[in-house]
Amino acid sequence: MIKIGISSCFMYPDISRSTFGPKSLSYVENDMMEYVSQNGVLPILLPDINKEKLKRILDELQGVVLQGGVDVAPEMYGEKPIGKWLGDAYRDEYELFIIEEAIKRNLPILGICRGFQLLNVYYGGTLYQDTITQRTQSLQHRSAELYDKVNHKISIHKATPLYEIYPFDQDVFVNSVHHQAIKDLSSQLEIWATSEDGLIEAFGHKNFKDTKVMGVQWHPEFSKTLDQLVINANPLIQLFIHQAL
């Protein structure tokens, strides 16, 4: 089987929790595990452990998925936090290490939402800490109440690997669960899709043939919530898996 690592989300010690209160927890959201668990694929949660041990796990993988979650800390791209948007610098360092080691091993990487944003930061790009306050022309891309029911149109750019799997000349819909977004795209990445308000929704490495790094701002693993209203999530994961073969 192909072994695909999934970066962990973290829960930190909280004595108000009745179970594992003083302990740190690593977890994966269930829809993500379902999405990666394609035929012939073994998903593996990448633990927050000693780096040498983590390297040995990465040696056994054929690809890495960076799942969504809490914000990227602004310090990671040279800014100070605005308002309450502090991010999670600890998780950033953990995932940046995974990105670095995966690239050394020439492993395909798929970044989703936060993972998409962190890949841009890894390559030297920057983020809007909060699109609502920093980019007033933006649509509302996130709702705590509606969560994965929020959706909007995207335009897929021609002559990109994304257009090869989604050859739509008209705008199509994706879900939207984010308030941070790419501000300055890394010079090493190219745009694969944009939203109707001009935000970057998908990218790939400019040398995608050799550096198999790609990311999307939406959550393909949540697509079943909106069913046929949004694009089929399967071609995307199949493209990623094909790179891992």
Side-chain angles (χ1 to χ4, degrees), residues 1 9 20 24 87 93 99 104 109 118 142 151 214 228:
M1 297 185 79
C9 294
F20 297 121
S24 293
E93 294 289 356
I99 293 170
K104 286 180 183 177
I109 303 175
L118 191 63
R142 180 182 186 179
N151 61 90
M214 61 181 177
Q228 297 183 26

Side-chain angles (χ1 to χ4, degrees), residues 71-204:
D71 293 344
V72 176
E75 291 86 353
M76 294 296 127
Y77 45 96
E79 294 186 9
K80 293 182 179 180
I82 62 170
K84 62 183 179 180
W85 312 115
L86 304 180
D88 186 344
Y90 183 86
R91 181 175 168 189
D92 295 339
E93 294 289 356
Y94 152 82
E95 287 187 304
L96 288 168
F97 175 80
I98 290 172
I99 293 170
E100 178 75 17
E101 293 298 318
I103 289 172
K104 286 180 183 177
R105 291 161 176 76
N106 198 32
L107 298 178
I109 303 175
L110 171 60
I112 292 174
C113 197
R114 169 196 159 84
F116 164 81
Q117 296 166 3
L118 191 63
L119 281 170
N120 182 53
V121 170
Y122 171 82
Y123 282 110
T126 64
L127 305 176
Y128 291 108
Q129 295 183 42
D130 179 51
T131 57
I132 295 172
T133 55
Q134 291 186 297
R135 194 177 184 274
T136 55
Q137 72 270 34
S138 296
L139 298 170
Q140 182 179 8
H141 286 266
R142 180 182 186 179
S143 166
E145 294 77 22
L146 297 174
Y147 203 64
D148 56 352
K149 295 182 176 66
V150 178
N151 61 90
H152 60 70
K153 294 177 182 178
I154 64 166
S155 175
I156 299 171
H157 292 208
K158 294 183 178 180
T160 66
L162 194 66
Y163 187 80
E164 292 177 11
I165 60 172
Y166 295 118
F168 301 114
D169 293 328
Q170 76 280 8
D171 291 346
V172 292
F173 283 84
V174 296
N175 60 36
S176 186
V177 194
H178 67 101
H179 78 99
Q180 293 195 320
I182 290 177
K183 181 166 59 177
D184 300 308
L185 183 68
S186 163
S187 61
Q188 298 185 61
L189 304 172
E190 65 175 2
I191 299 172
W192 286 3
T194 51
S195 61
E196 54 189 317
D197 57 355
L199 290 175
I200 299 171
E201 286 284 332
F203 62 57

